[in-house]
Protein backbone atom coordinates (compact mmCIF):
# COMPACT_ATOMS: atom_id res chain seq x y z
CA UNK A 1 0.00 0.00 0.00
CA UNK A 2 2.88 2.33 0.91
CA UNK A 3 4.40 1.75 -2.53
CA UNK A 4 1.03 2.18 -4.22
CA UNK A 5 0.67 5.69 -2.77
CA UNK A 6 4.25 6.70 -3.66
CA UNK A 7 5.16 7.02 0.04
CA UNK A 8 8.16 4.71 -0.44
CA UNK A 9 9.66 7.21 -2.88
CA UNK A 10 9.06 10.04 -0.43
CA UNK A 11 10.81 8.06 2.30
CA UNK A 12 13.80 7.40 0.07
CA UNK A 13 13.99 11.11 -0.66
CA UNK A 14 13.81 11.90 3.07
CA UNK A 15 16.58 9.39 3.76
CA UNK A 16 18.75 10.94 1.03
CA UNK A 17 18.39 14.36 2.70
CA UNK A 18 19.12 12.88 6.13
CA UNK A 19 22.14 11.04 4.73
CA UNK A 20 23.60 14.21 3.22
CA UNK A 21 22.73 16.66 6.03
CA UNK A 22 22.78 14.74 9.29
CA UNK A 23 25.05 11.70 8.88
CA UNK A 24 28.24 13.71 8.12
CA UNK A 25 27.82 15.27 11.57
CA UNK A 26 28.15 11.94 13.36
CA UNK A 27 31.81 12.55 14.38
CA UNK A 28 30.83 15.89 15.98
CA UNK A 29 27.88 14.33 17.80
CA UNK A 30 30.05 11.46 19.00
CA UNK A 31 32.73 13.86 20.30
CA UNK A 32 30.18 15.83 22.32
CA UNK A 33 28.62 12.57 23.52
CA UNK A 34 32.02 11.30 24.64
CA UNK A 35 32.67 14.40 26.74
CA UNK A 36 29.22 14.08 28.23
CA UNK A 37 29.54 10.47 29.37
CA UNK A 38 33.37 10.04 29.21
CA UNK A 39 33.02 6.45 28.05
CA UNK A 40 33.37 5.26 24.44
CA UNK A 41 30.68 2.56 24.50
CA UNK A 42 28.13 4.77 26.20
CA UNK A 43 29.00 7.59 23.82
CA UNK A 44 28.39 5.28 20.84
CA UNK A 45 25.02 4.18 22.27
CA UNK A 46 24.05 7.79 22.88
CA UNK A 47 25.15 8.78 19.36
CA UNK A 48 23.15 5.99 17.75
CA UNK A 49 20.11 6.82 19.84
CA UNK A 50 20.45 10.49 18.88
CA UNK A 51 20.49 9.71 15.16
CA UNK A 52 17.60 7.26 15.46
CA UNK A 53 15.57 9.92 17.25
CA UNK A 54 16.61 12.55 14.69
CA UNK A 55 15.53 10.28 11.85
CA UNK A 56 12.11 9.76 13.44
CA UNK A 57 11.66 13.52 13.82
CA UNK A 58 13.34 14.50 10.58
CA UNK A 59 10.04 15.61 9.02
CA UNK A 60 10.02 18.37 11.66
CA UNK A 61 13.53 19.58 10.81
CA UNK A 62 13.69 22.68 8.58
CA UNK A 63 16.45 22.22 5.96
CA UNK A 64 17.76 25.79 6.28
CA UNK A 65 18.36 25.63 10.03
CA UNK A 66 21.46 24.49 11.94
CA UNK A 67 21.42 20.69 11.70
CA UNK A 68 24.41 20.32 14.05
CA UNK A 69 22.71 22.34 16.79
CA UNK A 70 19.51 20.36 16.24
CA UNK A 71 21.34 17.02 16.63
CA UNK A 72 23.25 18.18 19.72
CA UNK A 73 19.96 19.36 21.24
CA UNK A 74 18.53 15.86 20.77
CA UNK A 75 21.72 14.41 22.25
CA UNK A 76 21.45 16.57 25.37
CA UNK A 77 17.77 15.70 25.86
CA UNK A 78 18.48 11.98 25.53
CA UNK A 79 21.41 12.26 27.91
CA UNK A 80 19.17 14.06 30.40
CA UNK A 81 16.69 11.16 30.23
CA UNK A 82 19.53 8.66 30.56
CA UNK A 83 20.85 10.40 33.67
CA UNK A 84 17.38 10.44 35.23
CA UNK A 85 17.15 6.70 34.53
CA UNK A 86 20.56 6.12 36.11
CA UNK A 87 19.69 8.38 39.04
CA UNK A 88 22.66 10.63 38.29
CA UNK A 89 20.81 13.90 38.36
CA UNK A 90 21.48 14.46 42.05
CA UNK A 91 24.87 15.99 41.50
CA UNK A 92 26.36 18.03 44.29
CA UNK A 93 26.07 21.11 42.16
CA UNK A 94 26.20 23.53 45.06
CA UNK A 95 29.52 22.06 46.12
CA UNK A 96 30.84 22.46 42.58
CA UNK A 97 29.73 26.08 42.53
CA UNK A 98 31.52 26.63 45.84
CA UNK A 99 34.72 25.05 44.51
CA UNK A 100 34.57 27.30 41.47
CA UNK A 101 33.99 30.39 43.58
CA UNK A 102 36.95 29.70 45.87
CA UNK A 103 39.36 30.43 43.02
CA UNK A 104 39.76 34.05 43.85
CA UNK A 105 42.83 34.69 41.77
CA UNK A 106 43.23 34.64 38.02
CA UNK A 107 45.62 31.68 37.40
CA UNK A 108 48.41 32.35 34.93
CA UNK A 109 48.40 30.54 31.60
CA UNK A 110 51.11 27.89 31.66
CA UNK A 111 53.40 27.68 28.66
CA UNK A 112 54.50 24.67 26.57
CA UNK A 113 51.45 22.49 27.18
CA UNK A 114 50.93 19.14 25.51
CA UNK A 115 47.55 17.76 24.30
CA UNK A 116 47.81 15.21 27.09
CA UNK A 117 48.15 18.00 29.71
CA UNK A 118 45.02 19.66 28.36
CA UNK A 119 42.94 16.47 28.27
CA UNK A 120 43.85 15.44 31.82
CA UNK A 121 43.11 18.97 33.04
CA UNK A 122 39.69 19.03 31.37
CA UNK A 123 38.85 15.67 32.89
CA UNK A 124 39.43 17.15 36.33
CA UNK A 125 37.12 20.13 35.79
CA UNK A 126 33.57 19.32 37.03
CA UNK A 127 31.35 18.39 34.03
CA UNK A 128 28.96 21.26 34.69
CA UNK A 129 31.76 23.73 33.83
CA UNK A 130 33.76 21.67 31.35
CA UNK A 131 30.61 21.09 29.23
CA UNK A 132 30.15 24.82 28.69
CA UNK A 133 33.83 25.27 27.83
CA UNK A 134 33.64 22.37 25.36
CA UNK A 135 30.43 23.62 23.74
CA UNK A 136 31.66 27.18 23.26
CA UNK A 137 35.46 26.96 22.91
CA UNK A 138 35.71 23.60 21.14
CA UNK A 139 32.41 23.09 19.33
CA UNK A 140 32.10 26.83 18.69
CA UNK A 141 28.46 27.22 19.68
CA UNK A 142 27.45 30.76 20.59
CA UNK A 143 26.49 31.54 24.20
CA UNK A 144 22.84 31.63 23.11
CA UNK A 145 23.06 28.23 21.41
CA UNK A 146 24.82 26.73 24.44
CA UNK A 147 22.09 28.16 26.69
CA UNK A 148 19.41 26.55 24.49
CA UNK A 149 21.23 23.21 24.48
CA UNK A 150 21.72 23.14 28.23
CA UNK A 151 18.29 24.68 28.84
CA UNK A 152 19.71 27.31 31.18
CA UNK A 153 19.65 31.13 30.96
CA UNK A 154 22.40 32.76 28.91
CA UNK A 155 23.72 34.43 32.08
CA UNK A 156 24.27 30.99 33.63
CA UNK A 157 26.24 29.94 30.55
CA UNK A 158 28.41 33.04 30.85
CA UNK A 159 29.13 32.55 34.55
CA UNK A 160 29.81 28.81 34.16
CA UNK A 161 32.09 29.54 31.24
CA UNK A 162 34.02 32.13 33.20
CA UNK A 163 34.45 29.73 36.12
CA UNK A 164 35.13 26.76 33.85
CA UNK A 165 37.95 28.56 32.04
CA UNK A 166 39.43 29.68 35.36
CA UNK A 167 39.24 26.13 36.77
CA UNK A 168 40.82 24.77 33.61
CA UNK A 169 43.72 27.24 33.84
CA UNK A 170 44.19 26.36 37.47
CA UNK A 171 44.19 22.63 36.70
CA UNK A 172 46.67 23.19 33.88
CA UNK A 173 48.96 25.21 36.12
CA UNK A 174 48.95 22.66 38.94
CA UNK A 175 49.25 19.74 36.48
CA UNK A 176 52.27 21.31 34.81
CA UNK A 177 53.86 22.21 38.17
CA UNK A 178 53.30 18.66 39.44
CA UNK A 179 54.88 17.17 36.33
CA UNK A 180 57.82 19.54 36.52
CA UNK A 181 58.43 18.67 40.18
CA UNK A 182 58.25 14.97 39.33
CA UNK A 183 60.68 15.40 36.44
CA UNK A 184 63.08 17.55 38.51
CA UNK A 185 62.94 15.12 41.39
CA UNK B 1 32.88 64.64 29.51
CA UNK B 2 36.00 62.49 29.79
CA UNK B 3 35.61 58.88 28.70
CA UNK B 4 36.25 56.32 31.48
CA UNK B 5 38.97 53.96 30.32
CA UNK B 6 38.60 50.24 31.05
CA UNK B 7 41.23 48.97 33.54
CA UNK B 8 43.15 45.67 33.42
CA UNK B 9 40.93 43.90 35.97
CA UNK B 10 37.78 44.80 34.03
CA UNK B 11 39.32 43.70 30.77
CA UNK B 12 40.44 40.33 32.16
CA UNK B 13 36.88 39.66 33.34
CA UNK B 14 35.53 39.98 29.79
CA UNK B 15 38.59 38.91 27.81
CA UNK B 16 37.26 35.42 26.99
CA UNK B 17 33.93 36.83 25.82
CA UNK B 18 35.90 39.23 23.61
CA UNK B 19 37.84 36.31 22.13
CA UNK B 20 34.54 34.42 21.56
CA UNK B 21 33.14 37.52 19.83
CA UNK B 22 30.22 37.75 22.24
CA UNK B 23 30.58 41.39 23.27
CA UNK B 24 28.71 44.45 22.05
CA UNK B 25 30.48 46.57 19.42
CA UNK B 26 30.88 49.44 21.89
CA UNK B 27 32.53 47.13 24.47
CA UNK B 28 34.82 45.75 21.76
CA UNK B 29 35.96 49.33 21.10
CA UNK B 30 36.71 49.84 24.81
CA UNK B 31 38.71 46.58 24.84
CA UNK B 32 40.71 47.63 21.77
CA UNK B 33 41.37 51.06 23.27
CA UNK B 34 42.75 49.46 26.44
CA UNK B 35 44.84 46.91 24.50
CA UNK B 36 46.50 49.70 22.49
CA UNK B 37 48.06 51.06 25.65
CA UNK B 38 48.59 47.90 27.74
CA UNK B 39 51.27 45.39 26.72
CA UNK B 40 50.48 43.07 29.69
CA UNK B 41 46.89 42.64 28.61
CA UNK B 42 47.97 42.20 24.98
CA UNK B 43 50.21 39.33 26.12
CA UNK B 44 47.44 37.85 28.26
CA UNK B 45 45.01 38.10 25.33
CA UNK B 46 47.46 36.39 23.02
CA UNK B 47 48.07 33.59 25.56
CA UNK B 48 44.37 33.00 26.04
CA UNK B 49 43.76 32.86 22.29
CA UNK B 50 46.59 30.35 21.93
CA UNK B 51 45.25 28.26 24.81
CA UNK B 52 41.76 28.25 23.34
CA UNK B 53 43.12 27.08 20.01
CA UNK B 54 45.26 24.44 21.66
CA UNK B 55 42.30 23.12 23.69
CA UNK B 56 40.21 22.88 20.52
CA UNK B 57 42.92 20.99 18.67
CA UNK B 58 43.68 18.69 21.58
CA UNK B 59 40.03 17.76 22.05
CA UNK B 60 39.40 17.25 18.35
CA UNK B 61 42.56 15.22 17.82
CA UNK B 62 42.43 12.95 20.83
CA UNK B 63 41.96 9.29 19.91
CA UNK B 64 39.16 8.67 22.45
CA UNK B 65 36.89 11.20 20.77
CA UNK B 66 37.45 9.92 17.22
CA UNK B 67 34.45 8.09 15.79
CA UNK B 68 35.15 4.43 15.04
CA UNK B 69 34.55 3.97 11.27
CA UNK B 70 33.14 0.46 11.82
CA UNK B 71 30.62 1.81 14.32
CA UNK B 72 29.78 4.68 11.96
CA UNK B 73 29.15 2.30 9.02
CA UNK B 74 27.02 -0.05 11.13
CA UNK B 75 25.00 2.84 12.58
CA UNK B 76 24.43 4.31 9.12
CA UNK B 77 23.24 0.92 7.77
CA UNK B 78 20.84 0.46 10.68
CA UNK B 79 19.51 3.98 10.25
CA UNK B 80 19.00 3.39 6.52
CA UNK B 81 17.08 0.21 7.22
CA UNK B 82 14.99 2.04 9.80
CA UNK B 83 14.36 4.96 7.42
CA UNK B 84 13.03 2.76 4.62
CA UNK B 85 11.00 0.40 6.83
CA UNK B 86 7.20 1.07 6.81
CA UNK B 87 6.21 3.15 9.79
CA UNK B 88 2.99 3.77 11.68
CA UNK B 89 2.94 7.41 10.65
CA UNK B 90 2.61 6.26 7.00
CA UNK B 91 -0.99 5.41 7.88
CA UNK B 92 -1.45 9.09 8.72
CA UNK B 93 -0.09 10.16 5.35
CA UNK B 94 -2.51 12.66 3.73
CA UNK B 95 -2.89 10.50 0.62
CA UNK B 96 -3.83 7.38 2.60
CA UNK B 97 -6.05 9.43 4.88
CA UNK B 98 -7.84 10.91 1.85
CA UNK B 99 -8.49 7.46 0.37
CA UNK B 100 -9.65 6.18 3.76
CA UNK B 101 -12.04 9.10 4.14
CA UNK B 102 -13.36 8.56 0.62
CA UNK B 103 -14.04 4.89 1.46
CA UNK B 104 -15.88 5.93 4.63
CA UNK B 105 -17.97 8.41 2.64
CA UNK B 106 -18.84 5.74 0.09
CA UNK B 107 -19.93 3.38 2.88
CA UNK B 108 -21.99 6.13 4.53
CA UNK B 109 -23.58 7.09 1.21
CA UNK B 110 -24.33 3.43 0.49
CA UNK B 111 -26.04 3.22 3.88
CA UNK B 112 -28.17 6.27 3.12
CA UNK B 113 -29.17 4.91 -0.30
CA UNK B 114 -30.09 1.58 1.29
CA UNK B 115 -32.20 3.36 3.89
CA UNK B 116 -33.91 5.36 1.15
CA UNK B 117 -34.64 2.19 -0.84
CA UNK B 118 -36.08 0.51 2.22
CA UNK B 119 -38.39 3.43 2.87
CA UNK B 120 -39.54 3.58 -0.76
CA UNK B 121 -40.40 -0.12 -0.91
CA UNK B 122 -42.48 0.22 2.24
CA UNK B 123 -40.05 -1.81 4.29
CA UNK B 124 -39.28 1.04 6.59
CA UNK B 125 -38.72 -0.27 10.08
CA UNK B 126 -41.51 0.41 12.51
CA UNK B 127 -40.56 3.78 13.92
CA UNK B 128 -42.69 3.28 16.94
CA UNK B 129 -40.84 0.09 17.94
CA UNK B 130 -38.89 0.04 21.17
CA UNK B 131 -35.60 -0.35 19.35
CA UNK B 132 -33.51 2.60 20.49
CA UNK B 133 -31.95 3.24 17.05
CA UNK B 134 -35.35 3.46 15.41
CA UNK B 135 -36.68 5.51 18.30
CA UNK B 136 -33.84 7.99 17.67
CA UNK B 137 -34.61 8.06 13.96
CA UNK B 138 -38.32 8.57 14.62
CA UNK B 139 -37.50 11.45 16.95
CA UNK B 140 -35.25 13.02 14.29
CA UNK B 141 -38.05 12.73 11.71
CA UNK B 142 -40.56 14.24 14.14
CA UNK B 143 -38.25 17.21 14.81
CA UNK B 144 -37.60 17.76 11.08
CA UNK B 145 -41.33 17.61 10.32
CA UNK B 146 -42.06 20.05 13.09
CA UNK B 147 -39.38 22.45 11.74
CA UNK B 148 -40.82 22.15 8.25
CA UNK B 149 -44.34 22.89 9.58
CA UNK B 150 -43.01 26.01 11.35
CA UNK B 151 -41.38 27.13 8.11
CA UNK B 152 -44.67 26.62 6.23
CA UNK B 153 -46.53 28.71 8.82
CA UNK B 154 -43.75 31.32 8.69
CA UNK B 155 -44.06 31.47 4.93
CA UNK B 156 -47.85 31.89 5.19
CA UNK B 157 -47.41 34.81 7.61
CA UNK B 158 -44.55 36.52 5.78
CA UNK B 159 -45.70 35.96 2.24
CA UNK B 160 -49.49 35.65 2.19
CA UNK B 161 -50.35 37.96 5.08
CA UNK B 162 -47.57 40.48 5.72
CA UNK B 163 -45.49 40.38 2.51
CA UNK B 164 -42.13 40.33 4.30
CA UNK B 165 -40.18 37.92 2.11
CA UNK B 166 -36.50 38.65 1.56
CA UNK B 167 -36.46 37.16 -1.93
CA UNK B 168 -39.00 38.00 -4.61
CA UNK B 169 -41.27 35.02 -5.42
CA UNK B 170 -41.14 33.51 -8.92
CA UNK B 171 -44.00 32.17 -11.03
CA UNK B 172 -44.95 28.51 -10.78
CA UNK B 173 -44.12 28.07 -14.49
CA UNK B 174 -40.62 29.34 -13.86
CA UNK B 175 -40.36 27.24 -10.68
CA UNK B 176 -41.39 24.18 -12.70
CA UNK B 177 -38.23 24.65 -14.77
CA UNK B 178 -35.90 25.54 -11.92
CA UNK B 179 -37.23 23.77 -8.83
CA UNK B 180 -39.27 20.76 -9.89
CA UNK B 181 -42.01 19.77 -12.32
CA UNK B 182 -44.60 19.50 -9.54
CA UNK B 183 -44.94 23.31 -9.60
CA UNK B 184 -46.44 23.19 -13.09
CA UNK B 185 -50.20 23.99 -12.95
CA UNK B 186 -50.32 23.15 -9.25
CA UNK B 187 -52.43 26.26 -8.70
CA UNK B 188 -55.08 24.97 -11.16
CA UNK B 189 -55.20 21.57 -9.45
CA UNK B 190 -55.57 23.14 -6.01
CA UNK B 191 -58.11 25.79 -7.08
CA UNK B 192 -60.34 23.30 -8.91
CA UNK B 193 -60.31 20.97 -5.92
CA UNK B 194 -61.18 23.79 -3.56
CA UNK B 195 -63.97 25.06 -5.76
CA UNK B 196 -65.39 21.52 -5.90
CA UNK B 197 -65.10 21.22 -2.14
CA UNK B 198 -66.90 24.49 -1.44
CA UNK B 199 -69.30 24.48 -4.40
CA UNK B 200 -72.33 24.33 -2.12
CA UNK B 201 -71.36 27.67 -0.60
CA UNK B 202 -71.62 31.07 -2.23
CA UNK B 203 -70.07 31.31 -5.74
CA UNK B 204 -67.18 33.48 -4.56
CA UNK B 205 -66.43 31.45 -1.44
CA UNK B 206 -63.08 30.38 -3.00
CA UNK B 207 -60.88 33.09 -4.52
CA UNK B 208 -57.33 32.71 -5.78
CA UNK B 209 -55.22 35.52 -4.33
CA UNK B 210 -51.81 34.49 -5.69
CA UNK B 211 -49.81 31.48 -6.82
CA UNK B 212 -46.05 31.45 -6.93
CA UNK B 213 -42.87 29.80 -5.67
CA UNK B 214 -41.22 31.50 -2.70
CA UNK B 215 -38.35 30.99 -0.31
CA UNK B 216 -38.61 31.17 3.47
CA UNK B 217 -35.71 30.43 5.84
CA UNK B 218 -33.92 28.50 3.08
CA UNK B 219 -36.90 26.30 2.19
CA UNK B 220 -38.71 26.69 -1.14
CA UNK B 221 -42.45 26.32 -1.28
CA UNK B 222 -45.00 26.21 -4.09
CA UNK B 223 -47.46 28.62 -2.53
CA UNK B 224 -51.08 28.95 -3.53
CA UNK B 225 -52.83 31.70 -1.59
CA UNK B 226 -56.58 31.38 -1.49
CA UNK B 227 -59.35 33.29 0.21
CA UNK B 228 -61.89 30.80 1.54
CA UNK B 229 -64.91 32.10 3.40
CA UNK B 230 -63.15 35.43 3.72
CA UNK B 231 -60.06 33.91 5.40
CA UNK B 232 -56.59 33.70 3.86
CA UNK B 233 -55.64 30.04 3.35
CA UNK B 234 -52.18 28.97 2.17
CA UNK B 235 -51.56 25.67 0.43
CA UNK B 236 -47.81 25.06 0.54
CA UNK B 237 -45.95 22.22 -1.18
CA UNK B 238 -42.25 21.62 -0.62
CA UNK B 239 -39.62 18.99 -1.42
CA UNK B 240 -38.54 16.69 1.40
CA UNK B 241 -36.13 13.82 1.83
CA UNK B 242 -37.75 12.68 5.04
CA UNK B 243 -38.71 9.01 4.91
CA UNK B 244 -42.47 8.54 4.54
CA UNK B 245 -44.19 7.68 7.79
CA UNK B 246 -47.92 6.99 7.83
CA UNK B 247 -50.29 8.99 5.65
CA UNK B 248 -52.04 10.67 8.58
CA UNK B 249 -52.68 14.36 8.51
CA UNK B 250 -50.83 16.04 11.32
CA UNK B 251 -52.00 19.26 12.85
CA UNK B 252 -50.17 21.97 14.73
CA UNK B 253 -51.18 25.26 16.33
CA UNK B 254 -49.25 28.50 16.28
CA UNK B 255 -49.44 31.97 17.71
CA UNK B 256 -51.91 34.35 16.11
CA UNK B 257 -54.60 31.63 15.97
CA UNK B 258 -52.87 30.00 13.04
CA UNK B 259 -53.51 26.32 12.44
CA UNK B 260 -51.58 24.00 10.18
CA UNK B 261 -52.53 20.62 8.73
CA UNK B 262 -49.83 18.73 6.90
CA UNK B 263 -49.24 15.42 5.21
CA UNK B 264 -46.44 13.61 3.46
CA UNK B 265 -46.61 12.54 -0.19
CA UNK B 266 -43.59 10.67 -1.59
CA UNK B 267 -40.88 13.32 -1.92
CA UNK B 268 -43.16 16.20 -1.00
CA UNK B 269 -44.80 17.62 2.05
CA UNK B 270 -48.09 19.52 1.76
CA UNK B 271 -49.36 22.04 4.32
CA UNK B 272 -52.60 23.90 4.67
CA UNK B 273 -52.16 26.96 6.90
CA UNK B 274 -54.97 29.29 7.90
CA UNK B 275 -56.99 30.74 10.78
CA UNK B 276 -59.74 28.26 9.99
CA UNK B 277 -60.53 25.69 12.67
CA UNK B 278 -58.53 22.42 12.66
CA UNK B 279 -61.48 20.46 11.31
CA UNK B 280 -61.76 22.67 8.22
CA UNK B 281 -58.01 22.63 7.61
CA UNK B 282 -58.06 18.83 7.83
CA UNK B 283 -60.97 18.65 5.39
CA UNK B 284 -59.06 20.82 2.92
CA UNK B 285 -55.91 18.73 3.36
CA UNK B 286 -57.78 15.46 2.98
CA UNK B 287 -59.41 16.62 -0.27
CA UNK B 288 -56.06 17.82 -1.61
CA UNK B 289 -54.11 14.60 -0.84
CA UNK B 290 -55.37 12.41 -3.72
CA UNK B 291 -55.32 15.18 -6.32
CA UNK B 292 -51.83 16.37 -5.47
CA UNK B 293 -50.62 12.76 -5.49
CA UNK B 294 -52.16 12.34 -8.98
CA UNK B 295 -50.73 15.70 -10.05
CA UNK B 296 -47.17 14.79 -9.02
CA UNK B 297 -47.46 11.39 -10.71
CA UNK B 298 -48.70 12.98 -13.92
CA UNK B 299 -45.95 15.54 -14.14
CA UNK B 300 -43.43 12.88 -13.15
CA UNK B 301 -42.20 14.69 -10.05
Amino acid sequence: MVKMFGIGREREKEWATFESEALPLMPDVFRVAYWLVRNREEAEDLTQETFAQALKSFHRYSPDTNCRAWLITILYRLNGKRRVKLGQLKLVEDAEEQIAQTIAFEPPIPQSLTDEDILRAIERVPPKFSQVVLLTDVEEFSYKEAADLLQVPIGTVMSRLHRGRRLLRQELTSYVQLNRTATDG
Amino acid sequence: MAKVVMDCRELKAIMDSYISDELLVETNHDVLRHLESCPDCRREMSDRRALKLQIRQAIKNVVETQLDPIFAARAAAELREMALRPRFRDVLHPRILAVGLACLLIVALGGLILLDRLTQTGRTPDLSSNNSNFAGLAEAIRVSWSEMTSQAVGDHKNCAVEFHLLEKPVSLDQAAISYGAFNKDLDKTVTTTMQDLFKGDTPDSVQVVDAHSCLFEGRRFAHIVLKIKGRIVSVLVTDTDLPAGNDDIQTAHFAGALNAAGFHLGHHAVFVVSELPDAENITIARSLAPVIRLHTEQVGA
Side-chain angles (χ1 to χ4, degrees):
Chain A
M1 185 166 78
V2 165
K3 256 188 190 167
M4 191 169 80
F5 289 101
I7 297 163
R9 265 197 311 279
E10 277 182 20
R11 217 183 291 135
E12 275 171 23
K13 206 175 147 194
E14 190 183 76
W15 166 251
T17 316
F18 186 82
E19 196 177 27
S20 64
E21 291 205 22
L23 279 195
L25 299 168
M26 201 183 274
D28 291 10
V29 173
F30 175 77
R31 189 171 53 245
V32 178
Y34 176 83
W35 284 107
L36 269 177
V37 295
R38 313 235 170 143
N39 175 298
R40 268 199 82 85
E41 275 182 20
E42 279 183 46
E44 283 182 352
D45 288 348
L46 197 51
T47 303
Q48 186 148 14
E49 219 179 312
T50 299
F51 277 86
Q53 185 61 53
L55 183 62
K56 275 185 204 160
S57 327
F58 200 55
H59 58 286
R60 278 187 237 135
Y61 166 72
S62 320
D64 295 332
T65 54
N66 186 346
C67 190
R68 191 162 155 270
W70 180 65
L71 287 168
I72 305 283
T73 305
I74 296 173
L75 172 79
Y76 266 82
R77 294 211 177 129
L78 288 174
N79 185 52
K81 283 183 190 170
R82 175 185 147 276
R83 286 174 68 195
V84 169
K85 221 184 256 179
L86 294 174
Q88 285 182 355
L89 270 186
K90 282 186 179 174
L91 290 174
V92 277
E93 301 205 336
D94 288 346
E96 284 179 354
E97 294 274 3
Q98 282 164 12
I99 293 165
Q101 278 168 356
T102 52
I103 311 161
F105 69 99
E106 200 62 61
I109 297 170
Q111 301 299 311
S112 54
L113 290 165
T114 64
D115 285 358
E116 183 65 18
D117 295 338
I118 291 170
L119 292 172
R120 296 295 83 85
I122 285 184
E123 279 172 1
R124 281 195 302 275
V125 174
K128 183 173 158 180
F129 302 103
S130 64
Q131 266 181 36
V132 190
V133 175
L134 290 163
L135 283 176
T136 54
D137 288 353
V138 179
E139 301 301 335
E140 296 175 87
F141 284 110
S142 67
Y143 290 2
K144 168 81 176 64
E145 285 170 329
D148 290 343
L149 285 170
L150 298 168
Q151 293 184 297
V152 294
I154 196 163
T156 307
V157 166
M158 288 161 80
S159 66
R160 281 186 193 175
L161 190 59
H162 184 67
R163 288 170 195 172
R165 282 166 175 158
R166 229 160 38 157
L167 280 168
L168 183 59
R169 280 198 292 274
Q170 194 199 34
E171 289 294 343
L172 283 169
T173 310
S174 54
Y175 187 78
V176 169
Q177 276 172 355
L178 204 71
N179 268 7
R180 210 165 283 162
T181 316
T183 316
D184 293 345
Chain B
M1 194 173 72
K3 179 108 181 141
V4 179
V5 181
M6 185 182 278
D7 63 26
C8 295
R9 193 182 48 81
E10 285 169 334
L11 176 58
K12 278 180 185 169
I14 59 166
M15 199 176 262
D16 290 315
S17 295
Y18 175 80
I19 294 169
S20 298
D21 197 20
E22 293 276 359
L23 296 178
L24 295 172
V25 179
E26 294 81 358
T27 319
N28 280 343
H29 288 160
D30 291 345
V31 172
L32 287 170
R33 204 172 297 122
H34 178 92
L35 287 174
E36 272 172 21
S37 58
C38 181
D40 284 348
C41 285
R42 279 207 299 274
R43 197 176 312 109
E44 173 82 11
M45 179 80 86
S46 166
D47 288 350
R48 286 198 194 189
R49 270 191 210 280
L51 178 65
K52 188 178 170 181
L53 195 66
Q54 202 178 355
I55 291 171
R56 191 179 302 159
Q57 281 168 350
I59 299 285
K60 287 196 173 176
N61 295 339
V62 68
V63 182
E64 288 102 310
T65 64
Q66 300 302 309
L67 185 68
D68 177 4
I70 297 168
F71 162 77
R74 198 187 63 229
E78 280 176 21
L79 287 166
R80 186 177 193 283
E81 198 265 322
M82 190 179 131
L84 303 178
R85 191 193 309 150
R87 273 170 275 167
F88 173 70
R89 79 176 156 93
D90 289 340
V91 179
L92 302 175
H93 193 281
R95 255 176 260 155
I96 292 183
L97 276 181
V99 172
L101 273 176
C103 290
L104 269 177
L105 271 176
I106 289 166
V107 170
L109 206 63
L112 279 176
I113 291 168
L114 189 68
L115 183 68
D116 193 43
R117 290 256 168 91
L118 281 173
T119 54
Q120 278 188 21
T121 53
R123 283 188 278 125
T124 309
D126 179 9
L127 297 182
S128 62
S129 79
N130 287 332
N131 182 307
S132 63
N133 287 338
F134 291 146
L137 184 60
E139 176 61 13
I141 292 170
R142 194 192 63 72
V143 169
S144 298
W145 181 265
S146 164
E147 275 175 13
M148 204 156 50
T149 309
S150 299
Q151 285 169 327
V153 172
D155 194 33
H156 167 82
K157 275 174 70 177
N158 289 281
C159 177
V161 181
E162 294 168 8
F163 311 107
H164 280 161
L165 286 187
L166 292 173
E167 194 180 296
K168 200 180 166 193
V170 296
S171 72
L172 286 176
D173 284 344
Q174 201 179 328
I177 298 164
S178 308
Y179 307 115
F182 75 91
N183 287 282
K184 180 80 182 158
D185 295 333
L186 185 66
D187 50 336
K188 289 178 188 131
T189 305
V190 170
T191 310
T192 311
T193 310
M194 288 301 98
Q195 282 167 346
D196 283 350
L197 183 66
F198 294 99
K199 66 183 171 195
D201 296 344
T202 53
D204 59 348
S205 59
V206 176
Q207 291 170 16
V208 181
V209 178
D210 199 10
H212 56 249
S213 167
C214 53
L215 192 69
F216 181 75
E217 288 182 353
R219 177 167 287 280
R220 185 159 286 282
F221 292 95
H223 190 181
I224 294 105
V225 187
L226 303 164
K227 202 169 208 176
I228 299 173
K229 295 180 185 175
R231 301 270 180 88
I232 294 287
V233 177
S234 284
V235 176
L236 299 122
V237 184
T238 184
D239 283 326
T240 179
D241 290 328
L242 283 180
N246 50 38
D247 292 336
D248 285 351
I249 291 169
Q250 297 175 48
T251 56
H253 309 104
F254 293 84
L258 280 174
N259 297 318
F263 57 92
H264 195 270
L265 268 183
H267 291 292
H268 301 100
V270 182
F271 298 94
V272 175
V273 183
S274 72
E275 289 179 354
L276 293 171
D278 261 352
E280 288 201 56
N281 268 356
I282 291 170
T283 307
I284 293 170
R286 196 159 283 153
S287 65
L288 285 173
V291 290
I292 294 182
R293 183 189 293 279
L294 189 66
H295 173 85
T296 53
E297 282 168 4
Q298 279 172 352
V299 295

